Amino acid sequence: SLSHARHCLPVTSVVVVISTMYDVNLTKSYFRSQSDINVMDVCIGDVLKETAAQRTGAEALVEITRNGEEGRRWTYDKLFKESVDLAQALASRFEKGSHIVIWAPNIPEWVLMEYAAALAGIVLVTANPALQEKELRYILEQSEAVGLFLVSEFRGNPMKEIAEQAVSSNNLIREVTDMEDYEQLFLNKNENRVLPNVSPKDPAQIQYTSGTTGFPKGAILSHLGLINNAKFYAARCGIEKKSTWINIMQMFHTSGCGMVTLGCLNFGCRMVLVSIFNPKLVLELIESFSADIILSVPTTALAILEEQEINPRDMSSLKVMSCGGGNIAPEMILRAKESFNCNFSTLYGQTEYCPVITQHHLSDNIDDVCMTIGQPLSQTDVSIQSIEDREILPIGDIGEICARGPSTMIAYYGNPDATDETVDKDGWLHTGDLGFMDQRGYVTITGRLKEMIIRGGENHFPAEIENVLREHPAISDVAIVGIPHSKWGEVIAAFVRFNDEPVSAEELKIFCRAQMSPQKTPTLWRRVDEFPMTGSAKIQKFKLRELELTEMTLPLS
């Protein structure tokens, strides 16, 4: 049934070496791709087949249920067999290239669906289980999905009822399937045993952007882009076949289903899939499974760190804490290295690049880990380009971070204009993020292009101001936003969440002016109890701006 699969050489057969800094001496902000790891011209299903053959009997997947208990387990050969069975069932109900939405939390069936859809040439459209009717309806309709796979509820969200409303007037949806009903999930019409031929450059998934600046767009990601990006990322983390990875990242995002799930697949190691994040549980799992790596975002990393500082567990097995998805305060990195005595590898990525673009090497010094977002990933060109004419800038100049390589998205689904704006004729993916590059190719991010604040004709970068304010002991987190102003064009507003008791705006102004020039000090100070967040834990600054403009914010005295 898998006669179409090509022979490939997955990472499981490669001797793992701790990566070290690429030795380059740049004269302009253009880092050319490094070929230290080869690009695999394969599909996701090819790597699953090869890994199952090489790692027969090795544990692949462990379920941690919603109540925090160990559940079902899969070896690689069992995972492959069930994925093939499910792929044949899906192929009996959907044509190759069909779009099906998966709307579920971190459950083993998500992993099975990811592999089965890949084997059947079906495009998986991912959706956050917290979505409401309007949001789900948008994804179903915009992606032109023909099927919806879901669970009945999650964390109080009545997903079955929401789905009924979302598909009520949708003429394309042919099937709404409960993923936890195996009879329904594995229904195989006519006992089909045939799978289509799948190409590495075929679409594997459509992932919707986080929506930090407004309406989400569906990035079409290829088999080749996803499987190679996960391999390059996991290799830089020093993963081996004996590794155990605690997966707390949401499977609907490229971090959960790509970086971690496919990273484990490439190396044939064990993944412990956590349904609901709980910092105490995470520490218990690291200890009990002797896990050596975990990927998180800043908010979850901080929660894990704080729990360890209060109730320490044996973390001697942990080798790498990897973190991305937002600005990471240097003080938190130093605390984490002290508490866990492990490597800390920050990374930078974007859904449109499957997603990792830059990452630290495990041998990087503490200054680079704290102050930069690392060097480009293997096989990835990175440049800093001017905003006005898209010319490559001199070393140290701030411009737009651009990437080019095998993991670049195919397109935004159904949105050619947005695709053309994002990927230029030379293949550069324009991230919309601002930063600069040093002569070694290390990149420092300074903010979002659309978040750049122009006050009185002078450019200000929110990340710089946010990083200063995060060093204040009273501040838990902060978001800097530009607010329209009749005289200055824009003024700088600081939305602050405090650890405990708030401090005055005057004290914070004094703190800022001791570390930055006066024009960078925020004019408006606002207190927030919680930030509006995307499903991937990024602050939605456009919503903060809207709240300020509608006078619905709380001034800080």
Side-chain angles (χ1 to χ4, degrees):
S1 60
L2 288 178
S3 59
H4 65 277
R6 290 160 303 284
H7 176 75
C8 64
L9 184 66
V11 174
T12 47
S13 61
V14 176
V15 176
V16 178
V17 184
I18 298 298
S19 68
T20 57
M21 177 181 70
Y22 299 128
D23 186 13
V24 298
N25 187 17
L26 306 177
T27 57
K28 59 181 180 179
S29 300
Y30 179 14
F31 184 97
R32 296 183 184 276
S33 63
Q34 303 292 302
S35 301
D36 52 318
I37 305 177
N38 292 331
V39 175
M40 297 190 301
D41 188 28
V42 294
C43 301
I44 292 168
D46 298 339
V47 183
L48 177 61
K49 179 184 179 183
E50 191 86 7
T51 302
Q54 292 193 10
R55 298 284 289 152
T56 299
E59 197 160 59
L61 174 64
V62 180
E63 174 190 29
I64 304 299
T65 65
R66 300 184 195 184
N67 59 11
E69 297 177 352
E70 291 183 30
R72 297 163 291 171
R73 294 171 180 257
W74 281 259
T75 58
Y76 269 103
D77 47 322
K78 179 183 178 184
L79 186 62
F80 176 62
K81 181 184 181 304
E82 291 192 14
S83 297
V84 171
D85 289 345
L86 182 54
Q88 292 167 343
L90 292 177
S92 76
R93 286 140 53 192
F94 302 100
E95 301 78 18
K96 179 189 175 184
S98 298
H99 297 177
I100 59 173
V101 172
I102 182 167
W103 192 39
N106 286 15
I107 55 176
E109 289 76 15
W110 214 115
V111 181
L112 288 171
M113 281 292 295
E114 178 175 4
Y115 291 146
L119 288 162
I122 292 168
V123 181
L124 211 60
V125 182
T126 68
N128 185 340
L131 296 181
Q132 298 303 300
E133 187 268 332
K134 182 179 178 182
E135 298 164 310
L136 179 61
R137 182 188 294 271
Y138 169 78
I139 287 178
L140 290 167
E141 293 179 354
Q142 204 282 330
S143 69
E144 298 182 295
V146 295
L148 172 60
F149 290 73
L150 76 166
V151 297
S152 59
E153 69 84 30
F154 182 64
R155 305 192 81 168
N157 197 27
M159 296 168 67
K160 183 179 179 180
E161 288 80 359
I162 290 172
E164 290 173 354
Q165 299 169 11
V167 304
S168 59
S169 60
N170 190 318
N171 296 323
L172 292 179
I173 295 293
R174 304 202 305 261
E175 178 180 317
V176 177
T177 301
D178 185 341
M179 293 169 60
E180 295 177 310
D181 181 342
Y182 268 43
E183 183 176 351
Q184 187 181 18
L185 183 66
F186 281 83
L187 175 64
N188 190 329
K189 294 182 178 179
N190 305 317
E191 297 185 354
N192 172 61
R193 292 292 178 265
V194 178
L195 291 176
N197 186 49
V198 183
S199 167
K201 292 186 179 180
D202 282 348
Q205 296 183 12
I206 298 177
Q207 293 247 353
Y208 279 80
T209 56
S210 300
T212 56
T213 56
F215 222 46
K217 299 183 288 291
I220 308 173
L221 309 178
S222 69
H223 284 254
L224 185 145
L226 285 163
I227 197 69
N228 281 284
N229 193 273
K231 177 183 72 169
F232 301 152
Y233 162 70
R236 195 169 290 188
C237 287
I239 296 305
E240 303 174 84
K241 62 184 179 182
K242 64 182 180 181
S243 296
T244 293
W245 200 322
I246 307 295
N247 188 3
I248 62 172
M249 303 303 291
Q250 299 286 359
M251 288 292 288
F252 68 81
H253 190 266
T254 42
S255 56
C257 69
M259 296 163 64
V260 182
T261 300
L262 299 182
C264 289
L265 176 65
N266 270 299
F267 285 84
C269 70
R270 177 170 62 177
M271 180 175 75
V272 179
L273 184 64
V274 181
S275 182
I276 297 178
F277 174 74
N278 178 296
K280 182 175 182 291
L281 172 64
V282 169
L283 292 173
E284 291 172 354
L285 293 173
I286 293 172
E287 184 176 41
S288 62
F289 281 94
S290 296
D292 43 4
I293 181 169
I294 186 169
L295 169 64
S296 62
V297 295
T299 50
T300 52
L302 182 60
I304 295 168
L305 171 61
E306 290 175 342
E307 177 64 28
Q308 174 67 5
E309 290 173 338
I310 297 170
N311 301 301
R313 306 291 294 248
D314 180 5
M315 295 289 104
S316 58
S317 66
L318 191 64
K319 297 177 182 176
V320 181
M321 176 174 275
S322 182
C323 194
N327 290 326
I328 305 166
E331 182 262 347
M332 191 188 84
I333 295 173
L334 294 170
R335 284 169 59 193
K337 287 180 72 68
E338 180 178 348
S339 291
F340 297 114
N341 191 29
C342 69
N343 288 297
F344 196 100
S345 178
T346 55
L347 63 98
Y348 162 73
Q350 195 169 72
T351 299
E352 290 85 344
Y353 200 75
C354 290
V356 185
I357 295 173
T358 67
Q359 181 188 354
H360 285 107
H361 303 273
L362 297 187
S363 58
D364 283 350
N365 64 53
I366 188 63
D367 289 339
D368 283 334
V369 174
C370 288
M371 305 308 295
T372 77
I373 52 174
Q375 274 188 323
L377 211 61
S378 298
Q379 302 287 348
T380 300
D381 290 327
V382 173
S383 65
I384 308 296
Q385 300 186 18
S386 61
I387 298 162
E388 298 80 12
D389 52 17
R390 294 187 169 181
E391 293 293 326
I392 293 174
L393 291 170
I395 291 296
D397 282 9
I398 292 175
E400 185 178 16
I401 301 170
C402 300
R404 182 171 62 186
S407 294
T408 304
M409 70 173 182
I410 297 171
Y412 287 124
Y413 186 73
N415 198 337
D417 290 342
T419 301
D420 291 342
E421 289 175 8
T422 304
V423 182
D424 66 26
K425 60 181 176 58
D426 295 318
W428 286 110
L429 171 69
H430 291 260
T431 67
D433 289 320
L434 295 168
F436 63 89
M437 183 182 291
D438 68 17
Q439 73 275 9
R440 305 167 304 153
Y442 279 74
V443 178
T444 299
I445 195 167
T446 59
R448 286 286 296 170
L449 181 60
K450 292 183 179 179
E451 292 173 4
M452 185 177 70
I453 302 167
I454 305 176
R455 180 188 181 276
E458 186 172 355
N459 296 341
H460 297 285
F461 305 106
E464 177 188 6
I465 304 169
E466 289 165 351
N467 286 338
V468 167
L469 282 167
R470 286 193 183 101
E471 295 299 317
H472 193 288
I475 291 177
S476 171
D477 205 355
V478 60
I480 297 296
V481 178
I483 303 298
H485 190 272
S486 57
K487 178 180 178 181
W488 297 105
E490 287 182 299
V491 292
I492 301 170
F495 293 83
V496 183
R497 185 178 68 200
F498 293 97
N499 288 315
D500 191 8
E501 293 298 320
V503 298
S504 68
E506 187 60 33
E507 180 178 332
L508 294 178
K509 288 178 185 177
I510 294 170
F511 181 80
C512 282
R513 293 198 176 186
Q515 303 182 63
M516 296 184 297
S517 56
Q519 64 269 27
K520 296 178 183 178
T521 301
T523 302
L524 304 175
W525 297 87
R526 302 292 184 256
R527 178 184 175 184
V528 295
D529 294 323
E530 296 292 337
F531 287 109
M533 307 291 283
T534 69
S536 53
K538 296 178 182 178
I539 296 173
Q540 293 177 306
K541 291 188 176 182
F542 74 97
K543 287 191 176 181
L544 293 174
R545 186 179 294 106
E546 289 172 359
L547 290 172
E548 177 63 26
L549 294 175
T550 54
E551 299 181 350
M552 295 180 66
T553 55
L554 182 64
L556 182 62
S557 60

